[in-house]
């Protein structure tokens, strides 16, 4: 059990609750659409979560074995796999996926669901990057980086969503989420330059 991981998960779910509260104020159609796309989100992002767990184990094992050169190589390969597994299905299967959860006569909910999935489909790949880096940093023991990355992302997601709800409905969540992810990636890449390279791993493990 890690208190840092517990705090990180708490922040994440508080952010989600705040976003859900904002969506609830938009009406029944928005809630129906958001519930549908949230389920689609969970399926699309599941492979990335599994890859994050894999890179955590891989990084920790190789750090313990002092096989430092293998860790960045594994990270790069995981990033490629994550990008292949994310976004593609949603880009080409948006309508059928929404049709699983919404009836054809729920035209307004379908419209709002599409307004969410269209921008998200183009940016799911960012989540693949963030999840992989999160798993990587857990594996090399830098849990504070994963915590601060979440602290960067969640407030941005919530603030932008609330700022745009009035004009864009649930599409505001898609925009807020992707901008939050993008800022998270920038932070993780900056931390990689400092802590994630082979020479840094060797130094930290002395």
């Amino acid at each position: 059990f890690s208190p840092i991981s517990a705090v990180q998960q708490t922040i994440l779910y508080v952010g989600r609750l705040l976003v859900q509260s904002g969506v609830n104020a938009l009406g029944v159609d928005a809630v129906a659409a958001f519930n549908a796309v949230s389920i689609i989100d969970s399926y699309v992002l599941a492979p990335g979560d599994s890859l994050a767990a894999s890179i955590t184990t891989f990084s920790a094992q190789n750090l313990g074995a002092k096989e430092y050169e293998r860790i960045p190589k594994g990270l790069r390969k995981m990033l490629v796999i994550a990008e292949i597994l994310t976004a593609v299905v949603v880009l080409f299967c948006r309508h059928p996926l929404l049709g699983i959860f919404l009836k054809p006569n729920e035209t307004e909910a379908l419209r709002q669901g599409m307004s969410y999935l269209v921008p998200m489909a183009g940016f799911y790949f960012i989540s693949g990057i963030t999840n992989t880096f999160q798993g990587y940093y857990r594996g090399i023991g830098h849990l504070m980086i994963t915590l601060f990355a979440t602290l960067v992302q969640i407030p941005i997601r919530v603030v932008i969503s609330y700022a745009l709800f009035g004009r864009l409905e649930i599409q505001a969540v898609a925009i807020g989420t992707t901008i939050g992810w993008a800022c998270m990636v920038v932070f993780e890449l900056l931390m990689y330059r400092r802590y994630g390279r082979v020479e840094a791993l060797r130094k930290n493990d002395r």
Side-chain angles (χ1 to χ4, degrees), residues 1 4 8-9 12 15 19 26 31 36 40 70 99 101 111 141 148 159 161-163 172 176 182 190 199:
F1 173 75
I4 295 175
Q8 183 180 353
Q9 290 300 310
L12 182 63
V19 170
L26 298 176
V31 172
I40 294 172
R70 295 184 64 192
F101 306 105
R111 181 191 69 78
F148 283 122
V159 169
S161 296
Y162 272 83
L190 289 173
E199 57 272 21

Side-chain angles (χ1 to χ4, degrees), residues 99-177:
I100 296 172
F101 306 105
L102 297 173
K103 297 176 182 178
N105 62 348
E106 295 180 280
T107 54
E108 176 59 20
L110 285 166
R111 181 191 69 78
Q112 292 200 42
M114 284 297 298
S115 76
Y116 176 93
L117 288 179
V118 169
M120 283 296 285
F123 293 101
Y124 274 124
F125 75 93
I126 303 178
S127 175
I129 297 173
T130 62
N131 281 341
T132 303
F133 270 111
Q134 289 286 83
Y136 171 74
Y137 287 124
R138 291 188 196 103
I140 63 173
H142 285 296
L143 295 179
M144 289 302 295
I145 293 178
T146 67
L147 174 60
F148 283 122
T150 301
L151 282 171
V152 166
Q153 183 225 155
I154 293 301
I156 291 172
R157 178 191 298 197
V158 172
V159 169
I160 292 177
S161 296
Y162 272 83
L164 298 178
F165 272 140
R167 286 177 288 172
L168 300 178
E169 300 170 321
I170 70 167
Q171 190 179 57
V173 182
I175 294 171
T177 299

